């Protein structure tokens, strides 16, 4: 029981040292209220000193009040100063509140003793003034110290005990009644204080919880839950902040966007949990690689972004990009076989190219897009030529949106020949755009834009219809090769439309080869597998175009029901002079034999190249050496001449 009382007393008389939020709220409330308390205290004190000036000794009416004034003004100034500053550290607040608690009985005792010391000198009015001073001042003090319960309690205790004992001893009924009144009012005040203090504590705790909750929400809203990295939203906030700092500080800034190469097939092959782990590990590697001036974020999927502060020059950026891509190329040890992916990074810089945060982001994205197309697995820095290309892409895009697809687009045909007999075995249909605004536009320029703006499917169908229609006029046995885009295989609907066009054409699908590039394979293996199966069911062949330029692994290729590989022309140029190209083509040809696939070599331009290819056992060839892409009418002439040649 006694222990319980003691514990309650200890709680009542101590500061809540384990609750920093409450301590801070108390400190702030006191710093507003205590200067007021000291002001009232001093005014009341000087009023009492004044009524006793003529009767009480000099040291009681002037010296002591002066000393008290100095002390009170010093304390009031201390609290006033704290209202103008940021709240101090938790430990300092605790020390300050403890100090106040220790000072309160001394100050309360001093004022009480001083006022009671005046009592014997005055007449009945002055003595009543002493009682009034004590009664009214204690109430003000309780009010002002409400947020620091021990201080309010101590003041009440000190003043009331002295008041009751002193005035009860005067045996004057009026003073005894006053003492009882003051005691009762003080007790009522204490009850109110207790309620108020409880409500105050509750309010502060609720506020603290709400703040914690909203901080947590803010953190979650800005964090990528898988990798723990800042998310897209946080990235843009960081970018905007870094940009305004770069503008004011006249410093450089760079943005990098990073896209993993070969992540989707890994995800499809090993499952999403492995894919997720790789993303987490990529996040970790990125964090380890960058310093304090580089902010990493995950934009979503397998795309990450970087804000690089501190004005790095192009050389630094190239070195940084190289290390980053190399590190992400290092194998991930997660399942029984090591997994290898790559990363392409696009970087744009301020103020060299971009003028705003959004422009910086767009240009980095464009650099990434260029990197992905021309040099995957490496860093691509946005340059002046990219800017020109971006502008010209914009013009092309506008013209493409306005183009009449059926009229402006047509196909040319390039023969594919048997390398030994030089017989024409097939023609590859190659799209051309005769734009009224831009003139003749190369497919290398308009196909990527049509893909980006979602126009490619609408372009593929009329071109395929046209090619099939023309191919029907060729002698039986001549094959047609037709290029499909990533997006043509990416959805069931578009595959179905292609199947319908083939079925309606009257051309025997057994003589049709559909060409897909490695980028298609990298997208979504199950979907591509489905599309290929669907085309194979019709009897079409499937060629893998530009083979050797992408990232697909043998196992990925094996998973697809291919019929042909087309070796990219970059390995063919000067093959007879370049041992590296020679070796690459040799191994690619061997691979096609091993996989029991036919093989076509693209881009043969000279007889020397043809001879080298023949010595490697290449059976089918295509290139300017034989013929450039020609109009349909010329294919008929070509075939007729070929017949004559053989005849
Ligand atoms: P591709 O399918 O690899 O086509 C071969 C490209 O190499 C053609 O360029 C062709 O004109 C060119 N070429 C052929 N022989 C030689 C040679 O000896 N030397 C050189 N330097 N080049 C040669 P083109 O017609 O400009 O087509 C570029 C790319 O555009 C094609 O590459 C293909 O990926 C895409 N493409 C063309 N037509 C279509 C189409 O109808 N649909 C889709 N989705 N893509 C198409
Ligand atoms: Mg092709
Ligand atoms: Mg090709």
């Amino acid at each position: 029981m006694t222990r319980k009382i003691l514990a309650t007393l200890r709680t009542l008389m101590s500061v809540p040292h384990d609750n920093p939020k409450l301590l801070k709220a108390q400190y702030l409330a006191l710093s507003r209220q205590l200067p007021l308390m000291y002001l009232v205290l001093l005014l009341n004190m000087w009023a009492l000193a004044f009524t006793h000036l003529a009767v009480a000794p000099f040291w009681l009416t002037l010296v002591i009040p002066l000393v008290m004034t100095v002390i009170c003004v010093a304390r009031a100034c201390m609290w006033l100063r704290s209202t103008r500053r940021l709240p101090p550290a938790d430990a300092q607040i605790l020390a300050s509140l403890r100090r106040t608690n220790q000072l309160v009985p001394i100050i309360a005792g001093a004022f009480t003793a001083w006022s009671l010391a005046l009592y014997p000198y005055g007449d009945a009015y002055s003595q009543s003034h002493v009682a009034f001073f004590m009664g009214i001042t204690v109430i003000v003090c309780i009010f002002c110290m409400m947020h620091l319960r021990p201080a309010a309690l101590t003041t009440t205790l000190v003043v009331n005990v002295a008041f009751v004992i002193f005035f009860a001893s005067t045996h004057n009924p009026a003073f005894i009644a006053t003492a009882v009144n003051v005691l009762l009012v003080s007790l009522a005040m204490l009850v109110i204080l207790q309620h108020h203090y409880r409500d105050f504590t509750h309010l502060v705790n609720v506020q603290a919880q709400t703040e914690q909750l909203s901080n947590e929400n803010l953190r979650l809203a800005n964090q990528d839950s898988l990798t723990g990295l800042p998310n897209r939203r946080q990235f843009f906030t960081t970018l905007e902040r870094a940009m305004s700092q770069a503008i004011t500080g006249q410093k450089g800034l760079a943005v990098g966007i990073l896209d993993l190469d070969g992540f989707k097939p890994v995800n499809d092959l090993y499952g999403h949990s492995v894919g997720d782990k790789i993303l987490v590990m990529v996040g970790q590697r990125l964090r380890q690689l960058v310093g304090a001036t580089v902010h990493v974020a995950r934009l979503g999927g397998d795309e990450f972004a970087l804000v690089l502060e501190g004005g790095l020059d192009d050389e630094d950026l190239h070195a940084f990009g190289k290390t980053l891509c190399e590190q992400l190329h290092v194998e991930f040890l997660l399942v029984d076989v090591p997994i290898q992916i790559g990363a392409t990074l696009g970087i744009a810089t301020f103020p060299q190219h971009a003028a705003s945060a959004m422009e910086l982001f767009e240009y980095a994205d464009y650099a990434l897009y260029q990197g992905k197309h021309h040099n995957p697995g490496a860093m691509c820095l946005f340059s002046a030529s990219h800017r020109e290309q971006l502008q010209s892409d914009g013009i092309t895009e506008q013209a493409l949106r306005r183009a009449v697809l059926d009229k402006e687009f047509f196909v040319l045909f390039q023969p594919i020949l048997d390398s030994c007999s030089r017989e024409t075995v097939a023609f590859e249909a190659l799209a051309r755009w005769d734009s009224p605004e831009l003139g003749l536009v190369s497919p290398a320029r308009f196909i990527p834009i049509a893909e980006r703006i979602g126009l490619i499917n609408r372009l593929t169908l009329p071109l395929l219809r046209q090619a099939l229609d023309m191919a029907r006029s060729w002698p039986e046995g001549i094959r047609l090769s037709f290029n499909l885009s990533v997006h043509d295989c990416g959805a069931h609907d578009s595959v179905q439309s292609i199947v319908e066009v083939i079925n309606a054409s009257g051309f025997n699908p057994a003589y049709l080869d559909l060409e897909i590039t490695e980028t298609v394979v990298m997208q979504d293996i199950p979907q591509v597998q489905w599309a290929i199966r669907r085309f194979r069911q019709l009897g079409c062949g499937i060629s893998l175009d530009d083979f050797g330029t992408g990232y697909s692994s043998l196992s990925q290729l094996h998973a697809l029901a291919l019929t042909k590989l087309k070796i990219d022309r970059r390995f063919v140029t000067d093959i007879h002079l370049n041992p590296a190209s020679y070796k690459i083509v040799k191994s690619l040809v061997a691979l096609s034999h091993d996989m029991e696939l036919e093989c076509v070599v693209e881009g043969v331009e000279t007889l020397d190249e043809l001879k080298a290819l023949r010595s490697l056992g290449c059976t089918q060839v295509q290139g300017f050496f034989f013929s450039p892409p020609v109009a349909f009418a010329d294919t008929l002439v070509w075939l007729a001449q070929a017949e004559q040649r053989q005849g």
Side-chain angles (χ1 to χ4, degrees), residues 226-227 260 262-283 298 301-302 304 332 334-335 339 341:
L226 180 67
T227 57
L260 300 182
F263 174 73
K264 280 195 179 69
V266 167
N267 216 17
D268 294 337
L269 213 63
Y270 298 104
H272 287 259
S273 66
V274 172
D276 282 356
K277 280 185 196 144
I278 288 191
L279 290 175
V280 172
M281 290 171 85
V282 167
R298 180 178 170 220
D302 60 353
F304 294 80
F332 291 87
L334 276 172
V335 277
I339 296 174
I341 53 168

Side-chain angles (χ1 to χ4, degrees), residues 407-410 432-441 446:
K407 275 198 190 147
E408 295 174 26
F409 290 84
F410 60 96
R432 294 290 178 266
W433 176 22
D434 192 7
S435 161
E437 297 164 50
L438 307 173
L440 203 62
V441 188
F446 70 79

Side-chain angles (χ1 to χ4, degrees), residues 2 26 64 106 196 265 303 320 339 407 445 462 524 567 647:
T2 12
Q26 288 180 322
I64 291 187
I106 300 168
H196 176 269
E303 218 175 44
F320 172 79
I339 296 174
K407 275 198 190 147
R445 185 166 158 202
D524 179 353
I567 297 175

Side-chain angles (χ1 to χ4, degrees), residues 24 137 261 302 306 328 339 391 451 476 495 514 531 555 580 622:
K24 192 169 154 192
T137 312
D261 303 317
D302 60 353
L306 310 155
L328 293 178
I339 296 174
Q391 274 161 358
E451 284 174 345
E476 172 92 22
V495 171
L514 295 171
S555 59
Q622 172 184 3

Side-chain angles (χ1 to χ4, degrees), residues 414 428-432 442-444 447 456 463 482-485 515 545-546 569 602-605 623-624 629:
Q414 188 180 32
E428 177 176 5
L430 292 160
R432 294 290 178 266
S442 141
I447 295 279
I456 190 74
L463 287 175
F482 188 86
N483 293 284
L484 289 184
S485 136
E515 295 191 8
D545 203 357
D546 305 341
R569 74 161 180 269
E602 300 181 303
V604 184
E605 290 184 355
F624 291 170

Side-chain angles (χ1 to χ4, degrees), residues 346-621:
I347 293 188
T349 51
F350 165 86
Q352 291 87 336
H353 298 294
S356 70
M358 260 351 268
E359 221 171 53
L360 199 54
F361 182 77
E362 271 170 33
Y363 289 177
D365 197 36
Y366 190 77
L368 170 68
Y369 176 79
Q370 290 298 324
K372 279 265 176 198
H373 270 80
H374 302 298
N375 193 14
M379 187 276 240
C380 175
L381 189 61
F382 188 85
S383 63
S385 73
H386 285 137
R387 205 195 174 110
E388 277 163 28
Q389 203 174 340
L390 199 62
Q391 274 161 358
S392 116
D393 279 1
I395 296 167
T396 313
E397 182 183 325
Q398 289 310 315
L400 199 54
R401 286 184 192 278
R402 283 192 293 267
V404 185
L405 302 187
D406 286 335
K407 275 198 190 147
E408 295 174 26
F409 290 84
F410 60 96
V411 281
L412 294 183
F413 296 93
Q414 188 180 32
I416 299 172
L417 296 92
D418 183 298
S419 65
C420 296
S421 67
R422 298 228 187 162
E423 250 177 72
T424 302
V425 288
F427 285 98
E428 177 176 5
L430 292 160
R432 294 290 178 266
W433 176 22
D434 192 7
S435 161
E437 297 164 50
L438 307 173
L440 203 62
V441 188
S442 141
R445 185 166 158 202
F446 70 79
I447 295 279
I449 299 174
E451 284 174 345
R452 185 159 50 78
I453 63 176
L455 209 78
I456 190 74
N457 300 128
R458 284 179 48 213
L459 205 58
T460 300
L461 297 181
L463 287 175
L464 179 61
R465 219 174 274 128
Q466 208 185 93
L468 287 166
D469 189 43
M470 292 168 170
R472 274 193 310 153
S473 312
W474 295 333
E476 172 92 22
I478 302 285
R479 303 182 69 87
L480 168 68
S481 254
F482 188 86
N483 293 284
L484 289 184
S485 136
V486 182
H487 301 261
D488 292 321
C489 299
H492 281 34
D493 284 357
S494 42
V495 171
Q496 197 50 36
S497 315
I498 292 170
V499 168
E500 280 163 20
V501 169
I502 297 171
N503 281 336
S505 69
F507 184 82
N508 184 352
Y511 294 116
L512 175 64
D513 290 312
L514 295 171
E515 295 191 8
I516 57 169
T517 56
E518 276 186 85
T519 18
V520 180
V521 182
M522 304 295 288
Q523 294 300 310
D524 179 353
I525 288 204
Q527 167 62 30
V528 178
Q529 271 177 326
W530 179 85
I532 291 180
R533 264 201 312 274
R534 190 79 190 82
F535 296 136
R536 291 289 308 268
Q537 276 164 6
L538 290 182
C540 303
I542 304 290
S543 311
L544 187 67
D545 203 357
D546 305 341
F547 183 54
T549 58
Y551 258 86
S552 40
S553 69
L554 282 183
S555 59
Q556 286 156 15
L557 293 184
H558 213 71
L560 304 170
L562 300 171
T563 52
K564 211 176 268 187
L565 296 178
K566 291 191 77 175
I567 297 175
D568 194 68
R569 74 161 180 269
R570 77 175 64 172
F571 307 116
V572 179
T573 310
D574 292 336
I575 184 171
H576 54 292
L577 304 173
N578 186 337
S581 297
Y582 189 85
K583 277 186 195 151
I584 291 173
V585 174
K586 190 176 172 186
S587 58
L588 293 180
V589 171
L591 183 72
S592 69
H593 285 167
D594 288 348
M595 290 174 80
E596 293 176 358
L597 300 175
E598 281 187 82
C599 176
V600 181
V601 183
E602 300 181 303
V604 184
E605 290 184 355
T606 63
L607 185 61
D608 289 332
E609 287 169 1
L610 177 65
K611 281 182 184 160
L613 290 169
R614 238 187 289 173
S615 73
L616 284 173
C618 302
T619 48
Q620 291 185 11
V621 282

